[in-house]
Amino acid sequence: MVNPNESMKSTSRLTILSSVLMFLLSFPATRAAESIYPDSVIPRGRASDAPNWELGTIFRADLPGKITQVRVFSLAEESGDHQVRIWRNADNTVIAGPIKWTFGGEEAWITLDILDVAIQPDQDYTIAISTTADGWYPANGSYFLSAGNNGQNLVYPKAAGVFSATAGMRPTDSFNNAAYLRDIVFETDLSGTVMRVKGNNFGVPDGSTTSSAANGTDVGGKGVNSGTREQVLTIQNLGQTALQLTGSPPVAISGAQAAEFVVSSQPSASVPGGGSATFTV
């Protein structure tokens, strides 16, 4: 069941279209593995000044899915037992771990199978893998100078490489925008309905109340007595199951200035898997 609610705001001019799209969706099982770092990334530096520290990477997924493995670049100098934890940042909750992982003595990306961990889109998580008492770790300075993505469905913020000097504490500090080559293996879940809304081919985050000219949720200036301005938004179903828009109407307008807006073209009531539908405000 899907019930998009469009919250429209304006002042003396018709300036802001603020979209709040609320969906109740079903997200079953998955495919296609991906990671934050490409295999071509190797350590540009190494140090031994972090005994029993937590080193991590902040990330989020664009789509629902699950983490099936964790990855790290192992150094020849390090050895012993490390601890693996995955944190949900919003409520500081450990959703996986601690898991003991003994590695070192080789120079390579290595992986560890874990029990599958489901994660939700558009939420920040941190993969943290501790150092041992010897404190060895790889560090690629300036790797996270700006926010970016892996070219698929994982994104990361500026300064995504983080550390904590306290064992078992979620790492949140950053130095020199470094990366510590802590990673996950993620599989998207497209077996159900996976709904996304776009304007001008840019995504509108689910539940967002922040307007943007880039994605069409800020429609720009228009005098309330001098004509109209239209904005087309697209509903995509990235999943494999047909998406039913069961609201009546499928897209509704609410808010203090709702009377200044109208949905002039409603989307189709059913959006097939892999398909899309548009509506015009």
Side-chain angles (χ1 to χ4, degrees):
M1 179 177 180
V2 182
N3 182 22
N5 294 312
E6 296 299 315
S7 177
M8 311 306 180
K9 300 179 181 179
S10 69
T11 55
S12 59
R13 301 195 318 156
L14 190 158
T15 55
I16 296 176
L17 164 60
S18 184
S19 302
V20 182
L21 301 162
M22 303 175 68
F23 319 127
L24 296 178
L25 303 178
S26 170
F27 299 132
T30 75
R31 315 304 174 268
E34 57 185 280
S35 293
I36 304 166
Y37 301 92
D39 290 339
S40 58
V41 173
I42 61 174
R44 294 201 299 265
R46 60 196 66 213
S48 59
D49 58 353
N52 299 308
W53 284 25
E54 300 287 346
L55 304 180
T57 307
I58 300 171
F59 67 95
R60 66 168 50 195
D62 284 335
L63 298 175
K66 62 186 180 183
I67 298 171
T68 60
Q69 297 175 311
V70 292
R71 301 174 78 220
V72 70
F73 198 98
S74 169
L75 298 180
E77 295 90 343
E78 64 182 323
S79 64
D81 296 339
H82 304 70
Q83 297 289 321
V84 177
R85 292 176 176 84
I86 300 173
W87 300 79
R88 184 173 55 234
N89 295 4
D91 56 4
N92 206 41
T93 297
V94 177
I95 61 172
I99 303 166
K100 184 173 76 171
W101 190 6
T102 304
F103 66 82
E106 60 180 318
E107 294 276 321
W109 281 104
I110 57 174
T111 59
L112 175 69
D113 289 333
I114 63 172
L115 293 176
D116 291 353
V117 180
I119 62 172
Q120 296 302 311
D122 304 322
Q123 291 192 34
D124 284 344
Y125 297 87
T126 299
I127 169 63
I129 302 174
S130 69
T131 63
T132 63
D134 291 336
W136 284 100
Y137 62 96
N140 289 18
S142 302
Y143 188 91
F144 291 118
L145 279 172
S146 59
N149 62 72
N150 70 342
Q152 295 173 278
N153 300 296
L154 296 175
V155 299
Y156 48 81
K158 179 181 178 180
V162 285
F163 67 89
S164 168
T166 303
M169 179 177 290
R170 177 168 65 92
T172 58
D173 293 326
S174 177
F175 175 74
N176 196 29
N177 296 304
Y180 304 113
L181 309 191
R182 270 57 179 163
D183 202 357
I184 50 97
V185 176
F186 172 71
E187 295 182 359
T188 56
D189 178 357
L190 302 180
S191 60
T193 56
V194 181
M195 186 174 180
R196 281 291 179 267
V197 177
K198 285 188 172 183
N200 304 330
N201 209 32
F202 288 92
V204 179
D206 185 7
S208 173
T209 57
T210 301
S211 60
S212 167
N215 63 21
T217 53
D218 183 339
V219 300
K222 189 69 178 178
V224 294
N225 296 314
S226 60
T228 61
R229 160 78 193 276
E230 291 189 338
Q231 176 65 50
V232 177
L233 295 163
T234 300
I235 298 172
Q236 293 181 319
N237 179 11
L238 304 179
Q240 300 166 355
T241 302
L243 169 66
Q244 304 300 325
L245 304 179
T246 57
S248 182
V251 177
I253 297 174
S254 63
Q257 284 80 34
E260 296 177 9
F261 297 86
V262 63
V263 181
S264 58
S265 175
Q266 290 281 350
S268 304
S270 180
V271 184
S276 63
T278 63
F279 63 94
T280 303
V281 177

